[in-house]
């Protein structure tokens, strides 16, 4: 998918809620140019050589990954995590390429599909392919091996997030949610996709940690509002288009760290200020994880 320049039109529809709100949230924008770009050799994950001229490829290398936190060859102790989030990688995988079988342990892994189709296979016997808006998760626990491939004829983009588990040594588990089921639930609305297993407000995907994940696809000019609970923080990624978060602008691939009020909920007003062509039309698109406040977490190198 090629990035299209934002459309400069406006509308007035708004989706809002109300609450007894505290101080405005503190927002630290993480611009795209401050993310680490990784383009590993094809052989690292069992792929053949990159083709010299394939019109279906949008990148010269089989993988282009944007690391939000210290990971793999990117070593940065001033950007090691954000609360319970340990990894967030924004991966672009070219057609007929992928990650060969590899192990994981003691981590909750949540993958959100943006474009294309992601095919997953693991040592628990799972074999599944999922498209836009879908979520797959693994409790790696005592150990699991899996592969992730793009068997399709167009590029695949997905956001993979690793969440620190509530405890080590958990029994491995796999689950998924098909994005087609909830297409309308995230259209100009914030869809609750991920929750903790102990949460009273459960999403379709449940992980072993106190964390919630949300997604939204928005038409130009639309606004959605989320009330961040007291003593909470959030990490928000602008996936497609451009948005503002309480007036702070984020373009495609930009993210922000959000720290709420310690005593009362904080209102987050998110507006689509630019859209791009997607599988579901001209939209802005974001992904957000909320979690308990962890003072001192976040980037210290900006």
């Amino acid at each position: 998918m090629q990035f299209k320049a934002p459309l400069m039109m406006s509308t007035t529809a708004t989706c809002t809620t109300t609450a007894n709100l505290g101080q405005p949230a503190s927002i630290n924008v993480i611009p795209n140019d401050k993310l680490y770009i990784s383009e590993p050799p094809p052989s690292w994950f069992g792929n053949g050589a990159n083709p010299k001229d394939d019109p279906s490829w949008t990148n010269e290398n089989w993988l282009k990954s944007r690391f939000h936190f210290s990971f793999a060859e990117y070593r940065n102790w001033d950007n090691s995590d954000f609360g319970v989030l340990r990894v967030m990688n924004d991966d672009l995988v070219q057609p007929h390429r992928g990650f060969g079988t590899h192990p994981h342990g003691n981590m909750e892994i949540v993958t959100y599909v943006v474009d294309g189709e992601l095919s997953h296979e693991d040592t628990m016997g799972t074999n599944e392919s999922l498209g836009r808006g879908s979520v797959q998760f693994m409790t790696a626990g005592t150990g699991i091996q899996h592969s992730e491939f793009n068997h399709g004829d167009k590029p695949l983009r997905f956001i993979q997030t690793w969440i620190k588990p509530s405890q080590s040594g958990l029994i491995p588990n796999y689950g998924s949610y098909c994005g087609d089921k909830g297409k309308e639930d995230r259209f100009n609305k914030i869809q609750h996709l991920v929750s903790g297993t102990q949460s009273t407000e459960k999403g379709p995907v449940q992980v072993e940690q106190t964390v919630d994940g949300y997604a939204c696809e928005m038409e130009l000019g639309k606004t959605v509002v989320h009330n961040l609970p007291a003593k909470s923080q959030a990490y928000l990624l602008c996936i497609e288009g451009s948005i503002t978060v309480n007036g702070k602008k984020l373009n495609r691939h930009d993210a922000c760290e959000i720290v709420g009020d310690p005593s009362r909920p904080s209102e987050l007003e998110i507006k689509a200020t630019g859209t791009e062509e997607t599988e579901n039309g001209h939209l802005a698109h974001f992904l957000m994880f909320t979690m308990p406040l962890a003072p001192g977490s976040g980037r210290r190198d900006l």
Side-chain angles (χ1 to χ4, degrees):
M1 182 191 76
Q2 298 293 324
F3 174 69
K4 302 288 184 70
L7 300 175
M8 302 310 293
M9 304 183 336
S10 64
T11 63
T12 57
T14 303
C15 306
T16 61
T17 57
T18 59
N20 183 19
L21 301 173
Q23 294 297 314
S26 168
I27 300 173
N28 180 34
V29 175
I30 311 296
N32 173 41
D33 62 6
K34 296 300 182 181
L35 304 178
Y36 181 86
I37 305 296
S38 177
E39 299 198 51
S43 59
W44 280 17
F45 289 93
N47 292 285
N50 296 324
K52 295 187 181 299
D53 185 18
D54 188 330
S56 68
W57 282 42
T58 58
N59 190 58
E60 290 184 3
N61 193 47
W62 73 280
L63 172 67
K64 184 172 186 177
S65 185
R66 289 174 167 85
F67 295 168
H68 285 252
F69 308 110
S70 183
F71 182 75
E73 75 272 22
Y74 171 48
R75 307 292 179 87
N76 183 355
W77 298 114
D78 288 325
N79 183 28
S80 59
D81 57 20
F82 183 72
V84 298
L85 301 188
R86 175 60 193 88
V87 170
M88 180 179 282
N89 293 346
D90 187 342
D91 289 347
L92 180 66
V93 181
Q94 297 305 310
H96 308 290
R97 295 294 187 271
F99 300 86
T101 303
H102 55 282
H104 290 288
N106 290 320
M107 197 65 65
E108 302 294 291
I109 301 175
V110 175
T111 304
Y112 181 76
V113 182
V114 178
D115 275 315
E117 189 172 82
L118 173 63
S119 295
H120 164 100
E121 189 170 352
D122 62 43
T123 48
M124 293 186 294
T126 308
N127 192 333
E128 185 176 38
S129 296
L130 295 165
R132 183 179 177 91
S134 298
V135 181
Q136 62 170 211
F137 79 94
M138 293 192 304
T139 293
T142 55
I144 188 172
Q145 295 189 57
H146 78 141
S147 62
E148 299 155 296
F149 271 91
N150 176 12
H151 294 305
D153 295 326
K154 67 176 186 177
L156 160 70
R157 183 183 172 200
F158 60 87
I159 314 299
Q160 186 163 101
T161 304
W162 294 14
I163 299 165
K164 303 170 193 176
S166 58
Q167 59 181 307
S168 60
L170 293 167
I171 298 172
N173 187 30
Y174 174 88
S176 63
Y177 168 77
C178 180
D180 285 343
K181 295 179 182 178
K183 189 175 177 180
E184 295 303 316
D185 291 334
R186 65 179 183 275
F187 183 67
N188 295 322
K189 293 180 284 188
I190 299 176
Q191 184 183 21
H192 189 194
L193 288 170
V194 180
S195 67
T197 56
Q198 305 303 313
S199 175
T200 56
E201 296 183 10
K202 287 184 167 51
V205 169
Q206 296 167 32
V207 297
E208 298 292 341
Q209 183 53 272
T210 304
V211 65
D212 290 279
Y214 304 89
C216 178
E217 295 180 276
M218 306 165 67
E219 294 176 297
L220 188 67
K222 297 295 178 74
T223 299
V224 294
V225 172
H226 179 78
N227 291 320
L228 185 67
K231 298 181 181 178
S232 295
Q233 61 188 43
Y235 195 85
L236 186 150
L237 168 63
C238 180
I239 297 173
E240 293 167 314
S242 58
I243 61 175
T244 58
V245 182
N246 288 7
K248 296 286 187 78
K249 186 171 183 179
L250 276 70
N251 295 316
R252 189 183 215 250
H253 296 304
D254 293 343
C256 63
E257 301 171 342
I258 304 168
V259 177
D261 188 285
S263 58
R264 289 186 292 175
S266 299
E267 183 177 88
L268 303 179
E269 183 180 275
I270 304 161
K271 182 176 182 179
T273 56
T275 62
E276 61 180 274
E277 187 178 350
T278 76
E279 291 182 13
N280 291 337
H282 287 275
L283 299 167
H285 189 185
F286 70 84
L287 177 70
M288 177 173 67
F289 286 93
T290 66
M291 67 212 77
L293 190 64
S297 68
R299 295 194 69 155
R300 299 185 295 276
D301 60 342
L302 297 180

